[in-house]
Amino acid sequence: MTPMKEDYLKMIFELGGVSEKVSNKQLSLSLDIAAASVTEMINKLVEEKLVSHTPYAGISLTATGRRAAEELVRKHRLWECFLFDKLNYSLANVHQEAEKLEHSSSDQMIDQLDVFLDHPAHCPHGGAIPDREGHYDEGSRVALAAIADGQRVKLSRFVDNHDLLEYLESLNFAVDQDYVVTNHAPFEGPITVQTDAGRTIDVSFKAANNIFVDDLSAS
């Protein structure tokens, strides 16, 4: 399997998990790839029975695609934990290094790395790490962009993308921070959030679709 196909499987897993469908637009935004190229790749993955695509409904992983995605995500996110926690890499820079390491890691090495790191459940940007048996907590699938004005949220996880993580670092965003959503600008403009201290932050529409939150107002 090519690295590009692996990136698609990981992103479909990240956006939709094992059950929810994702759209071509979501993949285009998250991977920063033209919509036509996304459609072409999805057709290839459908032919290889790694994903299923229901027109006007969305894209989801098949059982085979899900197993492949879980293995890739496990390797990738364990390496991210190692780079971030043990080698002091910045959050924005762990992805590219982990991408290289995951392709050269045997299952035995990953199992040993998991033990060394004391079996982390989540990577530095909040993504779930499947254990050796494939168990994990999927986490939030609610994007910040979908939260109504006035609602209070906790940042749960961010899509694993270098430019996005670099952007979020510039905003001082981190997993487990709380904010109140105060405004959605029209025509896919920025989403404004406010900290408990009263500081307001404008988050781009694209980024807000790649930030997943727990809606504290709903609990």
Side-chain angles (χ1 to χ4, degrees), residues 7 17 20 42 49 76 85 89 109 121 141 158-159 161:
D7 287 344
E20 295 185 23
I42 292 302
K49 301 187 182 336
H76 186 89
D85 295 335
Y89 271 66
M109 176 181 285
R141 300 285 167 196
F158 312 133
V159 167
N161 174 280

Side-chain angles (χ1 to χ4, degrees), residues 25-45:
K25 182 177 180 179
Q26 283 178 289
L27 288 172
S28 178
L29 281 170
S30 297
L31 292 169
D32 198 21
I33 293 174
S37 298
V38 170
T39 299
E40 183 180 350
M41 178 59 78
I42 292 302
N43 288 337
K44 291 179 181 177
L45 294 174

Side-chain angles (χ1 to χ4, degrees), residues 182-219:
T182 60
N183 184 61
H184 287 65
F187 302 107
E188 298 188 350
I191 287 83
T192 304
V193 300
Q194 187 176 66
T195 68
D196 289 339
R199 184 170 71 97
T200 59
I201 304 167
D202 290 332
V203 184
S204 74
F205 177 80
K206 181 177 179 180
N209 277 279
N210 290 289
I211 299 169
F212 294 89
V213 299
D214 295 317
D215 186 353
L216 301 181
S217 304
S219 59

Side-chain angles (χ1 to χ4, degrees), residues 112-150:
Q112 292 297 320
L113 182 62
D114 188 26
V115 171
F116 175 73
L117 294 170
D118 197 24
H119 310 291
H122 297 89
C123 70
H125 54 84
I129 302 176
D131 65 17
R132 188 176 181 180
E133 286 73 39
H135 302 134
Y136 55 94
D137 176 11
E138 284 195 65
S140 173
R141 300 285 167 196
V142 180
L144 176 61
I147 298 293
D149 292 351

Side-chain angles (χ1 to χ4, degrees), residues 5 8-9 12-13 22 27 41-54 58-66:
K5 289 179 181 178
Y8 270 81
L9 292 183
I12 294 169
F13 175 84
V22 302
L27 288 172
M41 178 59 78
I42 292 302
N43 288 337
K44 291 179 181 177
L45 294 174
V46 168
E47 290 175 2
E48 295 177 23
K49 301 187 182 336
L50 293 169
V51 306
S52 60
H53 182 206
T54 305
I59 301 152
S60 59
L61 296 167
T62 63
T64 302
R66 184 176 70 247

